[in-house]
Amino acid sequence: MNDIAVKCKNIWPGLGIATITGMAALFLSEHYNAPAMLFALLLGMAVSFLYQNDTPCACGIDFTASTLLRAGVVLLGLRIALGDLAVLGWQTALMLAGAIFTTIVLGVGLAKLLGLQKRFGALTGGSVAICGASAALAISTILPKGENHERDTLLTVIGVTAMSTIAMVLYPIIAGQLGMTDTEAGIFLGGTIHDVAQVVGAGYSVSESAGDMATLTKLVRVAMLMPVVLIMMLVIKRFYKTNTQAEGGEVPKMPLFLIGFITLMLLNSFVTLPEFVIEAGTQVSRFFLVVSITAIGMKSNLGKLAEVGVLPIVMIVVETLWIALLILGFLYAM
């Protein structure tokens, strides 16, 4: 009992400062209409000295960047229902699955080509293909933990958030110039923009029906997060177990957050939950993810980020263009 009390006492300072910083990020996001994840990262990086040299906040920041992160991913399950796949149609769902698979494969291939670690390619590819920063956080928890694990996660979140914001502005213009219908525009925006918030913003800037279709398409992509994570875990265990030490880190075990996510998704699929429960779970999930991103920013080392150069950004840009061109090709082939 005393051990639990001591542990809680050690966690509170870091958890508290990460929470306050995350709340500031949410305020700035609403005030300036910009991505909360980006503000959370920047504010976290600005106070990264709180994590250095074993400060009293270090234990709580570690807890926030790991345990609270997993709790936020679990609650994402309340946003997904299997019925979304049926509403969207099997052809579109199959197209999204193909786009996700090829984007991840492209990320791994680019990483190998550019001399980066393959797990970094899987991280960026999965983030671009599925749901941006949220996917980056979920995938990072099951990848082998090496010395650059936190840095790679941070770089990916920064890159996909920036590209998602640019896409939110440019893609509705592209949809208009190409003369897309509301349904086509919704599938295009929901199938290509990385983060959910930017999909909603872009979709409803076209029309209400385009916004509805974009949101539905995006939720189907989010629903594919856990199958992708499961497949990645199987690949890691099957093919990279003997090479893990060379890559740095240990082969991950089945995380409990994965089971929690699937449980909530199935519950939302087969049980009619009150709207306020789903809304509350969604808001808590978003808050947890923003606070955990803040903690990851606090753990960052700007010197290490500068050492990486432009290659990760090039990877994310190429992956973003790839999935956009795939979705456009599908729409014009229909």
Side-chain angles (χ1 to χ4, degrees):
M1 196 70 180
N2 289 334
D3 290 341
I4 296 176
V6 170
K7 188 174 182 180
C8 290
K9 184 178 179 180
N10 292 336
I11 286 173
W12 282 117
L15 177 60
I17 194 66
T19 302
I20 292 170
T21 310
M23 291 172 67
L26 288 170
F27 170 79
L28 291 173
S29 172
E30 294 177 3
H31 187 72
Y32 292 104
N33 195 27
M37 292 288 190
L38 187 57
F39 277 122
L41 274 175
L42 295 176
L43 291 177
M45 293 165 67
V47 294
S48 61
F49 62 88
L50 293 171
Y51 185 74
Q52 309 304 322
N53 302 320
D54 295 324
T55 64
C57 295
C59 182
I61 292 172
D62 283 331
F63 170 84
T64 307
S66 57
T67 304
L68 203 69
L69 165 61
R70 288 170 172 82
V73 174
V74 168
L75 289 173
L76 280 175
L78 287 174
R79 302 173 66 169
I80 314 300
L82 297 177
D84 294 338
L85 293 170
V87 173
L88 196 61
W90 70 268
Q91 287 181 315
T92 303
L94 191 62
M95 175 271 298
L96 292 174
I100 289 171
F101 174 76
T102 56
T103 303
I104 295 172
V105 170
L106 175 66
V108 175
L110 283 173
K112 187 176 181 180
L113 181 66
L114 297 174
L116 301 173
Q117 291 181 331
K118 288 180 285 187
R119 67 183 178 207
F120 183 61
L123 180 63
T124 59
S127 304
V128 168
I130 304 172
C131 53
S134 299
L137 297 176
I139 293 171
S140 71
T141 61
I142 59 97
L143 292 176
K145 304 296 188 293
E147 61 175 333
N148 296 323
H149 183 77
E150 299 286 351
R151 183 204 68 185
D152 291 347
T153 303
L154 191 67
L155 278 169
T156 302
V157 171
I158 292 173
V160 296
T161 301
M163 290 304 299
S164 188
T165 304
I166 294 171
M168 179 181 67
V169 176
L170 293 181
Y171 285 9
I173 298 174
I174 293 173
Q177 291 296 316
L178 294 176
M180 293 184 181
T181 65
D182 285 348
T183 299
E184 291 171 341
I187 293 174
F188 172 62
L189 298 174
T192 55
I193 299 177
H194 311 329
D195 287 308
V196 176
Q198 278 83 343
V199 168
V200 172
Y204 286 105
S205 70
V206 176
S207 70
E208 185 172 346
S209 59
D212 291 342
M213 179 56 71
T215 303
L216 177 61
T217 304
K218 183 62 183 177
L219 288 179
V220 171
R221 282 173 71 194
V222 176
M224 295 180 185
L225 173 61
M226 285 305 113
V228 168
V229 171
L230 278 171
I231 292 171
M232 283 187 176
M233 287 192 63
L234 292 173
V235 170
I236 292 170
K237 287 180 178 291
R238 176 66 179 85
F239 294 103
Y240 295 106
K241 189 171 184 178
T242 57
N243 298 325
T244 303
Q245 295 303 321
E247 291 255 336
E250 298 177 353
V251 176
K253 299 178 181 178
M254 173 69 74
L256 290 176
F257 83 88
L258 188 63
I259 299 172
F261 180 98
I262 294 172
T263 300
L264 289 185
M265 183 179 71
L266 293 175
L267 181 66
N268 190 36
S269 299
F270 299 108
V271 178
T272 304
L273 297 175
E275 187 63 33
F276 77 89
V277 171
I278 297 175
E279 182 63 25
T282 299
Q283 293 302 322
V284 172
S285 172
R286 178 171 181 259
F287 181 73
F288 281 3
L289 291 176
V290 167
V291 172
S292 63
I293 274 288
T294 303
I296 290 174
M298 291 176 179
K299 295 177 67 175
S300 67
N301 185 315
L302 292 177
K304 287 187 177 181
L305 288 179
E307 291 173 2
V308 179
V310 299
L311 292 182
I313 303 302
V314 171
M315 283 180 57
I316 293 172
V317 170
V318 172
E319 291 160 0
T320 300
L321 292 174
W322 170 263
I323 195 169
L325 291 173
L326 277 180
I327 302 298
L328 280 174
F330 168 79
L331 290 173
Y332 280 96
M334 288 178 64

